[in-house]
Amino acid sequence: MHRLNNKRILLGITGGIAAYKSAELVRHIRKAGADVHVVMTPAACEFITPLTLQALSGNPVHTTMLDPKAEAGMGHIELARWADVVLIAPASADFIARMAAGMGNDLLSTICLATKAPIYLAPAMNQGMWLDSATQKNCTTVMERGIKLFGPDEGYQACGDIGPGRMLDPDVILGCLVKYLESGLLAGKKVVITAGPTKEAIDPVRYISNHSSGKMGFALASAAAEAGATVTLIAGPVHLPTPDRVARVNVVTARDMHAAALEHTEGCDLFIGCAAVSDYRPESIAEAKIKKDPNNPEQALELKLVRNPDVLASVAAKDDRPFMVGFAAETHQVIEYAQNKLKHKNLDLIVANDVSDTTIGFNSDENAVTLVGPDFEEPLPKCSKWQLAGQLIDLIARYYNDIQQSSVQVQTQVQPSVTTEYSTDENTDHAPENPHS
Ligand code: PMT
């Protein structure tokens, strides 16, 4: 099952005999649909060769920070930004200590400092080293920063000891990862998302449209499915594969999208309008191709355009209106216009997207937005649309759940605890946290 579809996993491998299990882990992660870049510490390269990991991951393996060639390609900051998740398996006692101290003395530790992605550690070491109070304190320190620990397991160790410190089996690590990436914040909710452009025919061969690629909306659909929602994606004409566990409805025109949105929002809990819907369409569509007059190079073509229905406003006007989230693509006075749309379209939240910057917004792989509510603005800095979608769904879902429960704001602070993911402690809080809060 592709439960990590489109996820970008940066797998860090540190020095320890369990490094041989990382090869299997890479296979599991790829099988789950994710893209993997492996970063190895020098000590890790003593236990397993980068070539093995390169062959299994299908990507170059990163081993050093001071390689000008590597930095010119995908340097440590690019890797830190690229990752949706940083998973370090095995995480040695030394590496955990360096993380606790905030050191950045090799490629992997600098990535950990620079990344905004959640970080998960699968510790692996001798049982005495694991139980040592210094290691325990270091684990507590990193966990207080929101870093999660998967394991360690107990049992026979390569050194002959028996006790805690074994790295979890690769399939168990994968299960932990999937569990965290699938937050469950929208479990049981029905979510409808619009994405992509619409096309408005002028004649049988010409149309009016825009530059929307659908990437942002498709990433949102995937993130909502990962958060446990049943997702219907109403997609304009784009060439993107349907995200895993998402039901897709293809449409072409704004009126098609309008009809599909009204039909599929029966019993819908949350609606997100990310599509770039054509505001206008030609009043009539010519039945045959409109021909130019070869003798008149100055000939102008006049098109009368009429307004299309507003998909978002129509869904928001329904009696059984879902929680409504719109987008506002603006080139200037971005927040002000977004706030106006929030009110005029009767929305709960709006995502303000400054599309004057051509490196974000339409048809780019990255985006930067501000989530605007009735009384708050939350800027989300530039990152991949997949990463941003995860952040947006997380924030939207928390806000939505707060409204539903009419309770105090969801507590996202990490509770200091030495209880690790693999613990059987029933009280462990598995709600996803902002790792950098
Ligand atoms: O698809 P990508 O290439 O990944 O690009 C993403 C994006 C730039 C398209 C996306 O991030 C975005 O900003 N989407 C909104 C685009 C837009 O048309 O914005 P708007 O400000 O014109 O419309 C405001 C809101 O009303 C939007 O939620 C839009 O979906 C909705 N709308 C607009 C017109 C209309 N007739 N019906 C609508 O529902």
Side-chain angles (χ1 to χ4, degrees), residues 413-430:
Q413 289 287 323
V414 175
Q415 297 301 316
S417 159
V418 289
T419 309
T420 74
E421 165 57 19
Y422 196 55
S423 159
T424 52
D425 183 347
E426 293 295 311
N427 296 322
T428 305
D429 177 8
H430 286 156

Side-chain angles (χ1 to χ4, degrees), residues 182-326:
E182 296 180 323
S183 68
L185 277 173
L186 292 175
K189 301 294 171 200
K190 183 175 170 191
V191 176
V192 176
I193 298 176
T194 65
T198 60
K199 279 184 182 173
E200 310 297 331
I202 297 170
D203 69 11
V205 298
R206 302 181 179 93
Y207 58 81
I208 296 171
S209 190
N210 58 64
H211 296 294
S212 172
S213 62
K215 289 177 196 169
M216 190 70 242
F218 275 56
L220 284 167
S222 176
E226 275 166 13
T230 303
V231 183
T232 302
L233 175 63
I234 302 176
V238 294
H239 301 284
L240 292 176
T242 309
D244 209 19
R245 291 166 292 159
V246 167
R248 177 171 180 170
V249 178
N250 286 322
V251 296
V252 176
T253 68
R255 284 186 293 176
D256 294 344
M257 189 172 273
H258 183 252
L262 291 177
E263 181 188 338
H264 290 277
T265 44
E266 287 299 310
C268 167
D269 299 291
L270 171 60
F271 185 90
I272 305 178
C274 182
V277 189
S278 301
D279 288 315
Y280 293 92
R281 66 176 187 279
E283 186 177 41
S284 58
I285 304 171
E287 274 179 24
K289 184 180 173 189
I290 300 170
K291 302 300 289 176
K292 298 187 291 288
D293 178 351
N295 301 318
N296 182 5
E298 302 301 318
Q299 182 196 26
L301 173 66
E302 283 189 10
L303 284 177
K304 183 167 179 198
L305 301 179
V306 293
R307 283 285 286 268
N308 269 325
D310 191 304
V311 178
L312 204 53
S314 302
V315 176
K318 286 178 81 169
D319 287 342
D320 58 346
R321 166 194 188 280
F323 184 88
M324 297 294 302
V325 182

Side-chain angles (χ1 to χ4, degrees), residues 98-163:
R98 288 195 280 126
M99 281 192 90
M103 290 175 72
N105 56 347
D106 62 13
L107 179 60
L108 188 55
S109 51
T110 50
I111 289 171
C112 290
L113 289 176
T115 193
K116 288 195 163 56
I119 301 175
Y120 302 109
L121 306 179
M125 64 197 75
N126 163 270
Q127 55 86 25
M129 292 169 75
W130 169 252
L131 292 172
D132 186 84
S133 59
T135 305
Q136 287 298 300
K137 189 159 183 285
N138 289 333
C139 288
T140 303
T141 304
V142 297
M143 290 171 80
E144 281 171 357
R145 288 188 212 135
I147 292 167
K148 284 274 172 203
L149 264 57
F150 295 161
D153 204 354
E154 288 199 38
Y156 283 99
Q157 301 202 301
C159 55
D161 280 3
I162 300 175

Side-chain angles (χ1 to χ4, degrees), residues 328-335 337 341 352-358 362:
E330 305 292 349
T331 52
H332 57 289
Q333 294 168 258
V334 178
I335 302 295
Y337 282 129
K341 282 181 181 163
N353 205 163
D354 182 350
V355 290
S356 66
D357 177 350
T358 53
F362 286 96

